Tab-separated table of all heavy atoms in Angstrom:
chain	number	residue	atom	x	y	z
A	29	MET	N	96.131	12.678	83.715
A	29	MET	CA	97.024	13.619	84.370
A	29	MET	C	97.801	12.925	85.462
A	29	MET	O	97.391	11.896	85.987
A	29	MET	CB	96.234	14.801	84.948
A	29	MET	CG	95.279	14.435	86.085
A	29	MET	SD	94.371	15.858	86.713
A	29	MET	CE	95.710	16.773	87.485
A	30	GLU	N	98.972	13.483	85.790
A	30	GLU	CA	99.761	12.925	86.867
A	30	GLU	C	99.137	13.225	88.206
A	30	GLU	O	98.675	14.326	88.456
A	30	GLU	CB	101.171	13.517	86.822
A	30	GLU	CG	102.130	12.887	87.821
A	30	GLU	CD	103.536	13.436	87.695
A	30	GLU	OE1	104.329	12.894	86.910
A	30	GLU	OE2	103.837	14.423	88.388
A	31	VAL	N	99.091	12.225	89.068
A	31	VAL	CA	98.517	12.389	90.397
A	31	VAL	C	99.604	12.175	91.444
A	31	VAL	O	100.317	11.186	91.412
A	31	VAL	CB	97.365	11.385	90.632
A	31	VAL	CG1	96.843	11.498	92.049
A	31	VAL	CG2	96.246	11.633	89.640
A	32	ASN	N	99.713	13.129	92.357
A	32	ASN	CA	100.659	13.004	93.466
A	32	ASN	C	99.938	12.407	94.675
A	32	ASN	O	98.863	12.875	95.049
A	32	ASN	CB	101.224	14.371	93.840
A	32	ASN	CG	102.073	14.966	92.740
A	32	ASN	OD1	102.696	14.231	91.977
A	32	ASN	ND2	102.079	16.284	92.629
A	33	ILE	N	100.539	11.398	95.267
A	33	ILE	CA	99.956	10.748	96.431
A	33	ILE	C	100.642	11.267	97.687
A	33	ILE	O	101.854	11.155	97.818
A	33	ILE	CB	100.104	9.226	96.346
A	33	ILE	CG1	99.488	8.678	95.056
A	33	ILE	CG2	99.441	8.561	97.562
A	33	ILE	CD1	98.023	8.932	94.912
A	34	ARG	N	99.847	11.839	98.586
A	34	ARG	CA	100.364	12.230	99.897
A	34	ARG	C	100.069	11.073	100.840
A	34	ARG	O	98.939	10.908	101.281
A	34	ARG	CB	99.683	13.509	100.380
A	34	ARG	CG	99.744	14.655	99.384
A	34	ARG	CD	101.145	15.224	99.263
A	34	ARG	NE	101.183	16.347	98.333
A	34	ARG	CZ	102.206	17.170	98.199
A	34	ARG	NH1	103.279	16.994	98.927
A	34	ARG	NH2	102.165	18.163	97.331
A	35	SER	N	101.062	10.281	101.108
A	35	SER	CA	100.853	9.040	101.856
A	35	SER	C	100.913	9.281	103.349
A	35	SER	O	101.849	9.887	103.851
A	35	SER	CB	101.911	8.036	101.450
A	35	SER	OG	101.747	6.820	102.111
A	36	ARG	N	99.895	8.799	104.059
A	36	ARG	CA	99.832	8.974	105.519
A	36	ARG	C	99.542	7.649	106.184
A	36	ARG	O	98.404	7.197	106.185
A	36	ARG	CB	98.769	10.013	105.881
A	36	ARG	CG	98.613	10.261	107.403
A	36	ARG	CD	99.927	10.666	108.049
A	36	ARG	NE	99.758	11.291	109.335
A	36	ARG	CZ	99.901	10.659	110.505
A	36	ARG	NH1	100.146	9.360	110.516
A	36	ARG	NH2	99.793	11.333	111.637
A	37	GLN	N	100.562	7.003	106.705
A	37	GLN	CA	100.370	5.738	107.413
A	37	GLN	C	100.108	6.045	108.876
A	37	GLN	O	100.776	6.864	109.485
A	37	GLN	CB	101.606	4.862	107.290
A	37	GLN	CG	101.424	3.498	107.941
A	37	GLN	CD	102.740	2.733	108.025
A	37	GLN	OE1	103.801	3.337	108.075
A	37	GLN	NE2	102.659	1.423	108.033
A	38	THR	N	99.132	5.376	109.433
A	38	THR	CA	98.802	5.564	110.842
A	38	THR	C	98.166	4.300	111.384
A	38	THR	O	97.472	3.595	110.652
A	38	THR	CB	97.830	6.755	111.044
A	38	THR	OG1	97.390	6.771	112.401
A	38	THR	CG2	96.630	6.666	110.113
A	39	SER	N	98.408	4.020	112.640
A	39	SER	CA	97.799	2.841	113.232
A	39	SER	C	96.318	3.067	113.551
A	39	SER	O	95.582	2.119	113.819
A	39	SER	CB	98.538	2.461	114.534
A	39	SER	OG	98.483	3.536	115.468
A	40	LYS	N	95.886	4.350	113.489
A	40	LYS	CA	94.493	4.671	113.817
A	40	LYS	C	93.908	5.606	112.758
A	40	LYS	O	93.835	6.822	112.939
A	40	LYS	CB	94.425	5.325	115.204
A	40	LYS	CG	94.927	4.415	116.323
A	40	LYS	CD	94.944	5.129	117.663
A	40	LYS	CE	95.445	4.198	118.760
A	40	LYS	NZ	95.510	4.888	120.078
A	41	PRO	N	93.492	5.038	111.609
A	41	PRO	CA	92.991	5.870	110.523
A	41	PRO	C	91.792	6.738	110.909
A	41	PRO	O	91.690	7.882	110.448
A	41	PRO	CB	92.585	4.833	109.447
A	41	PRO	CG	93.395	3.623	109.759
A	41	PRO	CD	93.526	3.604	111.245
A	42	ALA	N	90.901	6.218	111.714
A	42	ALA	CA	89.703	7.003	112.090
A	42	ALA	C	90.096	8.254	112.861
A	42	ALA	O	89.604	9.346	112.579
A	42	ALA	CB	88.739	6.136	112.939
A	43	GLN	N	91.014	8.111	113.819
A	43	GLN	CA	91.447	9.268	114.604
A	43	GLN	C	92.135	10.306	113.709
A	43	GLN	O	91.987	11.504	113.927
A	43	GLN	CB	92.405	8.830	115.722
A	43	GLN	CG	91.713	8.223	116.923
A	43	GLN	CD	91.512	6.726	116.767
A	43	GLN	OE1	91.332	6.228	115.647
A	43	GLN	NE2	91.534	5.987	117.865
A	44	TYR	N	92.877	9.823	112.705
A	44	TYR	CA	93.554	10.763	111.819
A	44	TYR	C	92.522	11.574	111.014
A	44	TYR	O	92.643	12.780	110.869
A	44	TYR	CB	94.473	10.014	110.860
A	44	TYR	CG	95.197	10.961	109.905
A	44	TYR	CD1	96.302	11.672	110.343
A	44	TYR	CD2	94.763	11.140	108.613
A	44	TYR	CE1	96.953	12.539	109.496
A	44	TYR	CE2	95.392	12.017	107.755
A	44	TYR	CZ	96.501	12.705	108.192
A	44	TYR	OH	97.130	13.585	107.349
A	45	ILE	N	91.498	10.892	110.487
A	45	ILE	CA	90.468	11.576	109.726
A	45	ILE	C	89.705	12.542	110.613
A	45	ILE	O	89.333	13.661	110.182
A	45	ILE	CB	89.503	10.561	109.073
A	45	ILE	CG1	90.244	9.744	107.995
A	45	ILE	CG2	88.292	11.242	108.468
A	45	ILE	CD1	90.753	10.555	106.833
A	46	VAL	N	89.466	12.170	111.853
A	46	VAL	CA	88.800	13.072	112.805
A	46	VAL	C	89.585	14.365	112.937
A	46	VAL	O	89.012	15.465	112.890
A	46	VAL	CB	88.656	12.373	114.188
A	46	VAL	CG1	88.244	13.409	115.254
A	46	VAL	CG2	87.593	11.274	114.117
A	47	LYS	N	90.892	14.261	113.089
A	47	LYS	CA	91.735	15.458	113.242
A	47	LYS	C	91.675	16.337	111.999
A	47	LYS	O	91.606	17.575	112.102
A	47	LYS	CB	93.185	15.028	113.514
A	47	LYS	CG	93.416	14.513	114.927
A	47	LYS	CD	94.752	13.823	115.072
A	47	LYS	CE	95.915	14.731	114.773
A	47	LYS	NZ	97.206	14.061	115.008
A	48	GLU	N	91.658	15.738	110.816
A	48	GLU	CA	91.588	16.501	109.581
A	48	GLU	C	90.236	17.209	109.458
A	48	GLU	O	90.171	18.375	109.024
A	48	GLU	CB	91.821	15.602	108.361
A	48	GLU	CG	93.191	14.928	108.345
A	48	GLU	CD	94.318	15.946	108.383
A	48	GLU	OE1	94.616	16.547	107.357
A	48	GLU	OE2	94.891	16.158	109.485
A	49	CYS	N	89.179	16.535	109.849
A	49	CYS	CA	87.851	17.145	109.827
A	49	CYS	C	87.799	18.356	110.754
A	49	CYS	O	87.296	19.423	110.384
A	49	CYS	CB	86.782	16.129	110.238
A	49	CYS	SG	86.503	14.783	109.047
A	50	ARG	N	88.322	18.205	111.947
A	50	ARG	CA	88.287	19.294	112.918
A	50	ARG	C	89.147	20.464	112.476
A	50	ARG	O	88.819	21.637	112.700
A	50	ARG	CB	88.728	18.808	114.301
A	50	ARG	CG	87.797	17.872	115.032
A	50	ARG	CD	86.330	18.208	115.038
A	50	ARG	NE	86.018	19.635	115.182
A	50	ARG	CZ	84.781	20.108	115.097
A	50	ARG	NH1	83.755	19.292	114.835
A	50	ARG	NH2	84.541	21.393	115.255
A	51	LYS	N	90.291	20.185	111.807
A	51	LYS	CA	91.148	21.275	111.303
A	51	LYS	C	90.378	22.143	110.320
A	51	LYS	O	90.418	23.371	110.378
A	51	LYS	CB	92.377	20.688	110.617
A	51	LYS	CG	93.429	20.169	111.567
A	51	LYS	CD	94.546	19.539	110.759
A	51	LYS	CE	95.520	18.764	111.646
A	51	LYS	NZ	96.515	18.027	110.856
A	52	VAL	N	89.692	21.499	109.387
A	52	VAL	CA	88.935	22.233	108.372
A	52	VAL	C	87.838	23.073	109.021
A	52	VAL	O	87.641	24.251	108.660
A	52	VAL	CB	88.341	21.263	107.337
A	52	VAL	CG1	87.333	21.963	106.446
A	52	VAL	CG2	89.440	20.664	106.472
A	53	LEU	N	87.130	22.456	109.942
A	53	LEU	CA	85.993	23.139	110.566
A	53	LEU	C	86.422	24.217	111.561
A	53	LEU	O	85.903	25.342	111.567
A	53	LEU	CB	85.099	22.126	111.262
A	53	LEU	CG	84.404	21.103	110.342
A	53	LEU	CD1	83.790	19.982	111.164
A	53	LEU	CD2	83.352	21.784	109.486
A	54	ASP	N	87.391	23.905	112.393
A	54	ASP	CA	87.772	24.835	113.471
A	54	ASP	C	88.628	25.991	112.959
A	54	ASP	O	88.638	27.072	113.575
A	54	ASP	CB	88.531	24.071	114.564
A	54	ASP	CG	87.679	23.016	115.223
A	54	ASP	OD1	86.452	23.109	115.122
A	54	ASP	OD2	88.254	22.086	115.845
A	55	SER	N	89.369	25.779	111.880
A	55	SER	CA	90.245	26.832	111.375
A	55	SER	C	89.614	27.645	110.252
A	55	SER	O	90.231	28.561	109.718
A	55	SER	CB	91.574	26.217	110.881
A	55	SER	OG	92.215	25.485	111.905
A	56	GLY	N	88.383	27.275	109.875
A	56	GLY	CA	87.708	28.018	108.807
A	56	GLY	C	88.400	27.920	107.453
A	56	GLY	O	88.363	28.864	106.657
A	57	LEU	N	89.024	26.771	107.168
A	57	LEU	CA	89.713	26.588	105.884
A	57	LEU	C	88.720	26.447	104.751
A	57	LEU	O	87.600	26.011	104.941
A	57	LEU	CB	90.611	25.339	105.944
A	57	LEU	CG	91.703	25.338	107.031
A	57	LEU	CD1	92.465	24.014	107.002
A	57	LEU	CD2	92.643	26.502	106.856
A	58	GLU	N	89.143	26.845	103.545
A	58	GLU	CA	88.262	26.785	102.388
A	58	GLU	C	88.015	25.374	101.909
A	58	GLU	O	87.038	25.098	101.206
A	58	GLU	CB	88.881	27.597	101.227
A	58	GLU	CG	90.144	26.997	100.654
A	58	GLU	CD	90.592	27.609	99.363
A	58	GLU	OE1	90.065	28.681	98.992
A	58	GLU	OE2	91.453	27.024	98.681
A	59	HIS	N	88.870	24.442	102.284
A	59	HIS	CA	88.791	23.087	101.739
A	59	HIS	C	87.572	22.321	102.229
A	59	HIS	O	87.151	22.447	103.375
A	59	HIS	CB	90.048	22.295	102.146
A	59	HIS	CG	91.326	23.050	101.930
A	59	HIS	ND1	91.974	23.713	102.941
A	59	HIS	CD2	92.050	23.253	100.811
A	59	HIS	CE1	93.053	24.305	102.452
A	59	HIS	NE2	93.125	24.034	101.165
A	60	ASN	N	87.027	21.533	101.319
A	60	ASN	CA	85.973	20.573	101.670
A	60	ASN	C	86.560	19.172	101.495
A	60	ASN	O	87.177	18.868	100.468
A	60	ASN	CB	84.755	20.715	100.737
A	60	ASN	CG	84.167	22.120	100.810
A	60	ASN	OD1	84.031	22.697	101.888
A	60	ASN	ND2	83.822	22.686	99.659
A	61	LEU	N	86.382	18.333	102.478
A	61	LEU	CA	86.967	17.001	102.431
A	61	LEU	C	86.009	16.010	101.775
A	61	LEU	O	84.845	15.919	102.158
A	61	LEU	CB	87.335	16.517	103.832
A	61	LEU	CG	88.242	17.419	104.681
A	61	LEU	CD1	88.698	16.677	105.938
A	61	LEU	CD2	89.423	17.923	103.874
A	62	HIS	N	86.520	15.267	100.806
A	62	HIS	CA	85.757	14.214	100.143
A	62	HIS	C	86.473	12.900	100.468
A	62	HIS	O	87.541	12.605	99.917
A	62	HIS	CB	85.692	14.436	98.645
A	62	HIS	CG	84.877	15.642	98.286
A	62	HIS	ND1	83.571	15.563	97.824
A	62	HIS	CD2	85.162	16.970	98.353
A	62	HIS	CE1	83.107	16.793	97.600
A	62	HIS	NE2	84.054	17.667	97.914
A	63	ILE	N	85.871	12.141	101.376
A	63	ILE	CA	86.549	10.982	101.971
A	63	ILE	C	85.937	9.678	101.427
A	63	ILE	O	84.756	9.413	101.623
A	63	ILE	CB	86.431	11.012	103.503
A	63	ILE	CG1	87.030	12.338	104.042
A	63	ILE	CG2	87.122	9.805	104.140
A	63	ILE	CD1	86.609	12.667	105.450
A	64	PHE	N	86.739	8.905	100.725
A	64	PHE	CA	86.297	7.647	100.138
A	64	PHE	C	86.752	6.494	101.017
A	64	PHE	O	87.959	6.243	101.175
A	64	PHE	CB	86.874	7.493	98.728
A	64	PHE	CG	86.335	8.484	97.736
A	64	PHE	CD1	86.855	9.769	97.687
A	64	PHE	CD2	85.315	8.139	96.871
A	64	PHE	CE1	86.354	10.713	96.778
A	64	PHE	CE2	84.811	9.075	95.950
A	64	PHE	CZ	85.327	10.355	95.909
A	65	VAL	N	85.807	5.809	101.632
A	65	VAL	CA	86.128	4.682	102.504
A	65	VAL	C	84.955	3.714	102.452
A	65	VAL	O	83.809	4.091	102.656
A	65	VAL	CB	86.406	5.135	103.956
A	65	VAL	CG1	85.252	5.954	104.523
A	65	VAL	CG2	86.723	3.942	104.845
A	66	ASN	N	85.243	2.445	102.199
A	66	ASN	CA	84.168	1.459	101.990
A	66	ASN	C	83.726	0.835	103.313
A	66	ASN	O	83.791	-0.375	103.500
A	66	ASN	CB	84.605	0.383	101.020
A	66	ASN	CG	83.445	-0.445	100.535
A	66	ASN	OD1	82.324	0.061	100.423
A	66	ASN	ND2	83.678	-1.710	100.239
A	67	SER	N	83.254	1.688	104.227
A	67	SER	CA	82.785	1.168	105.507
A	67	SER	C	81.875	2.201	106.159
A	67	SER	O	82.337	3.271	106.578
A	67	SER	CB	83.959	0.855	106.450
A	67	SER	OG	83.484	0.545	107.746
A	68	VAL	N	80.583	1.872	106.267
A	68	VAL	CA	79.646	2.768	106.929
A	68	VAL	C	79.944	2.852	108.423
A	68	VAL	O	79.793	3.911	109.042
A	68	VAL	CB	78.188	2.303	106.686
A	68	VAL	CG1	77.200	3.204	107.422
A	68	VAL	CG2	77.866	2.312	105.195
A	69	GLU	N	80.423	1.742	108.996
A	69	GLU	CA	80.814	1.761	110.419
A	69	GLU	C	81.927	2.764	110.653
A	69	GLU	O	81.924	3.505	111.648
A	69	GLU	CB	81.277	0.370	110.859
A	69	GLU	CG	80.169	-0.671	110.939
A	69	GLU	CD	80.049	-1.453	109.638
A	69	GLU	OE1	80.552	-0.961	108.589
A	69	GLU	OE2	79.433	-2.539	109.665
A	70	PHE	N	82.886	2.816	109.755
A	70	PHE	CA	83.996	3.756	109.867
A	70	PHE	C	83.484	5.205	109.811
A	70	PHE	O	83.852	6.039	110.616
A	70	PHE	CB	85.010	3.523	108.733
A	70	PHE	CG	86.238	4.399	108.777
A	70	PHE	CD1	87.405	3.934	109.359
A	70	PHE	CD2	86.207	5.682	108.245
A	70	PHE	CE1	88.540	4.739	109.399
A	70	PHE	CE2	87.343	6.494	108.292
A	70	PHE	CZ	88.493	6.009	108.870
A	71	ILE	N	82.571	5.447	108.868
A	71	ILE	CA	81.991	6.785	108.705
A	71	ILE	C	81.248	7.200	109.974
A	71	ILE	O	81.406	8.320	110.474
A	71	ILE	CB	81.047	6.820	107.480
A	71	ILE	CG1	81.849	6.588	106.193
A	71	ILE	CG2	80.285	8.142	107.417
A	71	ILE	CD1	81.000	6.371	104.959
A	72	ALA	N	80.428	6.295	110.491
A	72	ALA	CA	79.661	6.589	111.707
A	72	ALA	C	80.598	6.878	112.878
A	72	ALA	O	80.325	7.761	113.693
A	72	ALA	CB	78.725	5.413	112.036
A	73	LYS	N	81.693	6.146	112.956
A	73	LYS	CA	82.657	6.337	114.028
A	73	LYS	C	83.296	7.733	113.951
A	73	LYS	O	83.435	8.422	114.970
A	73	LYS	CB	83.743	5.257	113.965
A	73	LYS	CG	84.774	5.329	115.057
A	73	LYS	CD	85.773	4.174	114.930
A	73	LYS	CE	86.813	4.208	116.041
A	73	LYS	NZ	87.789	3.084	115.910
């Protein structure tokens, strides 16, 4: 199937993911985030 890429360039990827996590949790959105990143340090951060 065709996949659309929503591209988000940022100098601080961790901070961007933090904001997305808080949006989902604080706004009560139905979405669940599945984040693929090959770094346990990044996840812990």
Side-chain angles (χ1 to χ4, degrees):
M29 65 180 292
E30 186 176 271
V31 176
N32 295 329
I33 305 298
R34 307 288 182 169
S35 181
R36 179 56 162 99
Q37 184 190 27
T38 171
S39 60
K40 299 176 180 178
Q43 282 88 329
Y44 180 79
I45 292 297
V46 167
K47 286 168 60 177
E48 298 303 281
C49 292
R50 290 315 321 174
K51 284 176 191 174
V52 168
L53 295 169
D54 298 340
S55 303
L57 301 178
E58 67 168 13
H59 314 98
N60 301 317
L61 305 190
H62 292 259
I63 303 162
F64 293 81
V65 55
N66 194 31
S67 171
V68 178
E69 290 93 341
F70 183 96
I71 295 170
K73 182 177 181 181

